[in-house]
Amino acid sequence: MTSLPTTAPAPAPASAPAPAPTVDALITSVLAGAYGPSPSELVATSVFWIHHGTRLAGGDTTYLNQYVLVRLGGAFGGCAFEAGEIDPAICRDASGTRLDVLLREAPRPLRIAALDAYLAGQLPHRDAGAEPVVLPAGTPEVRARARDAAVAGLLDVAAGARVGLIGVVNPLVAAIRERGGVPLPCDFNLAATQWGDPVTTDMHAVLEQADAVVATGMTLGNGSFDTVLARCRARGVPLVVYAQSGSAVARAFLGSGVTALSAEPFPFSQFSADPTTLYRYRTAGRP
């Protein structure tokens, strides 16, 4: 497998406004113009969705993922959602809608996708001083291992540390173990990892036990992100976010509970066999 960069991830972008305490507060700030032009002056050119399944070689888990995506000028935003949460008609109904309307009235995953597109448009990851990590060309297994090694590389934990994993991806479980961590997997859609580790649905129990937490961006779409963020802040626990969903949204919380971020903007790595780039951020100090 192609080796990954070993340089320290870049700090959070200094030009962004002060981090918001909740996702709803962030949306309110964006609507008020704190992050750039008024969303009432912008139109979502295209709203679309992707529904795909993946089973990696050697595994017995088929991942079924649905994403709703928004194109806003030169930027894309995306958010995963649960089956049945959004109807395909949303693509016809929401395309061409003013961004402020989507941010106020759309189903939550579409609100996150619209917010992601807006924030990515104002400050693209490629221009934010983040550390680019190029994932190698190759099979899904090669690219997934490289991606999840890059995410695990943001963890700074002692051997034996318990790492809460909110949203289970099997290669990330393996990458945490390779760094000496003990995964505490939590997911609403899986009963066990590829190696038979039990997966709990009790996020609160995991958040109370963990010495560090890795959460996927899907927590933004299902509404659990604020809870994860607040509990990690209260306990002083490092929070690493691995975000395909809402990667620019999660970036807004660097320094306000999120201590590190692997941001993977659309098009995501699973949709290409060619080299693609994700962006790593780290912020110093207390969670």
Side-chain angles (χ1 to χ4, degrees):
M1 181 175 72
T2 300
S3 60
L4 297 169
T6 57
T7 55
S15 59
T22 67
V23 173
D24 284 347
L26 176 60
I27 291 175
T28 298
S29 295
V30 167
L31 287 168
Y35 284 75
S38 170
S40 64
E41 301 172 358
L42 304 172
V43 171
T45 308
S46 177
V47 173
F48 58 108
W49 83 353
I50 297 174
H51 184 184
H52 73 106
T54 299
R55 177 175 290 196
L56 297 176
D60 58 3
T61 300
T62 300
Y63 300 98
L64 297 175
N65 300 112
Q66 296 83 213
Y67 298 91
V68 62
L69 299 119
V70 172
R71 181 162 192 176
L72 183 67
F76 289 88
C79 186
F81 62 92
E82 297 291 350
E85 193 173 1
I86 293 178
D87 187 275
I90 199 76
C91 302
R92 178 193 63 230
D93 297 340
S95 295
T97 300
R98 285 201 334 257
L99 196 69
D100 64 317
V101 174
L102 294 182
L103 291 175
R104 289 190 174 98
E105 301 177 9
R108 184 177 183 86
L110 181 50
R111 293 174 70 202
I112 296 298
L115 180 63
D116 190 35
Y118 177 89
L119 294 172
Q122 298 311 304
L123 183 60
H125 292 294
R126 62 181 178 272
D127 298 333
E131 177 202 9
V133 176
V134 178
L135 304 180
T139 66
E141 292 75 24
V142 166
R143 289 172 56 75
R145 286 194 297 269
R147 179 196 63 201
D148 294 333
V151 176
L154 290 168
L155 281 170
D156 184 15
V157 295
R162 296 165 297 179
V163 180
L165 185 55
I166 311 299
V168 174
V169 182
N170 281 318
L172 186 50
V173 173
I176 290 170
R177 282 206 175 99
E178 288 170 3
R179 297 187 67 83
V182 177
L184 303 177
C186 176
D187 199 290
F188 292 126
N189 297 312
L190 290 178
T193 70
Q194 178 180 339
W195 302 274
D197 309 284
V199 176
T200 183
T201 58
D202 188 349
M203 177 183 73
H204 300 283
V206 169
L207 292 176
E208 292 305 314
Q209 298 175 53
D211 302 307
V213 173
V214 178
T216 68
M218 192 169 180
T219 56
L220 290 161
N222 67 22
S224 61
F225 178 81
D226 288 346
T227 298
V228 174
L229 184 77
R231 196 64 200 130
C232 288
R233 281 174 58 92
R235 294 189 59 229
V237 170
L239 172 59
V240 176
V241 179
Y242 153 47
Q244 290 185 332
S245 296
S247 61
V249 178
R251 183 180 63 190
F253 294 90
L254 283 163
S256 185
V258 174
T259 52
L261 167 66
S262 172
E264 190 178 341
F266 184 80
F268 308 136
S269 59
Q270 62 265 41
F271 301 135
S272 176
D274 295 324
T276 56
T277 304
L278 59 78
Y279 299 87
R280 300 202 304 183
Y281 300 84
R282 191 193 299 273
T283 183
R286 183 186 181 280

